[in-house]
Amino acid sequence: MTDLEAVERRIYRRSYLETPLEPFTSGALLTLVGEYNRRAGLRVELVREGAEAFRGFRRSYGMFSGVNSYFAMAGRRADLCLREKVGYWGEKLVLEATRLGLGTCWVGGTFDRAACPCRLLPDEELVCVITVGHVSAELGGKERFIYRMVHRSTKPLEALYDAGGETPPDWFAAGMRAVRRAPSALNRQPVRFVWRDGAVSASVPDYASQAVDLGIAKLHFEIGAGGGSWKPGSGGAYLRGGEAGTDAL
């Protein structure tokens, strides 16, 4: 399965089976976690006995069931691009989990942070978690209801970018189609792409609170457009092919 096929196949899941992650699956995910931590300077952990963080109606509002494993997405508070990196590299983990036949879901607030057993240093912060695990082949009734509610406000493709009256090339349109499938908090899709004279940039109205969404959307665009990389930050430029520098995401 290619990255683009994973983008198209991925559906976020909130109900998980009791079947634990197999050693091969855990090993593959742990290898990627180690690689991404090194490349991005993050402190991501794969938590495999983390049910306590989702136990009880009060924290999860009844939206999750059967959660046992998740990626704890953390890093240094002093990193000004921490949340954007969490979005970009966390979505890479999501797509790899999709290739392995697993369900996932980004979770920002509806879990008990105090019950998360990840080992953080004093200067590190837990930004969010991504649930991961085996799921049934079909969505349950509650999952179908939540999916319809969240996606009823999905924006049309043209509302996600500004081309200033120009007609962007096919690779840009393909990137934007992948962006339209990117998850965002409450499906608000706040990331705005701009095409001007062959240059692409992406920004959000509030980087402090929407940087995770920005990182996810940048990765989706990169996959849809057929490669490349991004400069970090709101307004960061897209770099095609071999243009990537040392400060790219």
Side-chain angles (χ1 to χ4, degrees):
M1 186 188 303
T2 66
D3 282 345
L4 187 56
E5 288 170 337
V7 163
E8 294 169 348
R9 185 171 300 186
R10 172 211 53 79
I11 296 179
Y12 280 85
R13 303 298 298 268
R14 294 170 173 83
S15 296
Y16 294 85
L17 304 176
E18 294 183 1
T19 309
L21 297 178
E22 300 84 355
F24 171 82
T25 302
S26 295
L29 295 176
L30 285 168
T31 296
L32 286 174
V33 165
E35 176 188 347
Y36 295 169
N37 280 339
R38 288 190 298 272
R39 292 173 64 181
L42 295 173
R43 176 65 80 88
V44 179
E45 289 189 25
L46 175 60
V47 177
R48 284 169 286 180
E49 296 293 336
E52 189 63 31
F54 285 85
R55 190 162 287 142
F57 186 84
R58 184 175 65 87
R59 285 289 184 181
S60 67
Y61 304 102
M63 294 176 64
F64 292 90
S65 64
V67 175
N68 188 57
S69 300
Y70 50 82
F71 299 106
M73 306 300 298
R76 293 182 299 108
R77 291 190 185 91
D79 186 344
L80 298 180
C81 296
L82 171 59
R83 284 167 172 75
E84 184 178 356
K85 289 179 181 179
V86 161
Y88 183 92
W89 295 96
E91 187 69 359
K92 278 182 172 286
L93 290 171
V94 164
L95 297 180
E96 183 59 35
T98 300
R99 277 192 284 268
L100 292 170
L102 303 173
T104 57
C105 189
W106 284 89
V107 188
T110 52
F111 70 100
D112 188 347
R113 291 173 179 268
C116 181
C118 55
R119 302 174 298 276
L120 299 182
L121 298 175
D123 66 339
E124 293 176 335
E125 173 187 356
L126 176 62
V127 176
C128 61
V129 302
I130 304 171
T131 57
V132 60
H134 291 286
V135 292
S136 60
E138 301 294 332
L139 294 175
K142 183 181 294 184
E143 286 186 305
R144 287 197 301 270
F145 173 76
I146 295 173
Y147 185 85
R148 287 195 301 267
M149 292 295 291
V150 169
H151 288 83
R152 64 181 180 178
S153 60
T154 299
K155 295 178 180 178
L157 191 65
E158 296 75 15
L160 299 177
Y161 70 90
D162 174 16
E166 299 181 54
T167 301
D170 290 344
W171 61 262
F172 177 87
M176 291 310 305
R177 287 193 294 272
V179 168
R180 194 167 185 263
R181 298 187 67 87
S184 59
L186 300 177
N187 200 37
R188 287 174 177 158
Q189 298 175 288
V191 185
R192 182 77 164 176
F193 288 76
V194 174
W195 166 274
R196 288 292 186 277
D197 300 322
V200 180
S201 62
S203 61
V204 286
D206 184 356
Y207 187 69
S209 65
Q210 297 170 331
V212 172
D213 293 342
L214 180 62
I216 295 172
K218 282 182 174 180
L219 176 65
H220 274 237
F221 182 90
E222 182 182 310
I223 291 170
S229 60
W230 285 92
K231 293 287 187 180
S234 186
Y238 172 64
L239 309 172
R240 294 202 73 197
E243 300 177 46
T246 56
D247 60 340
L249 280 172

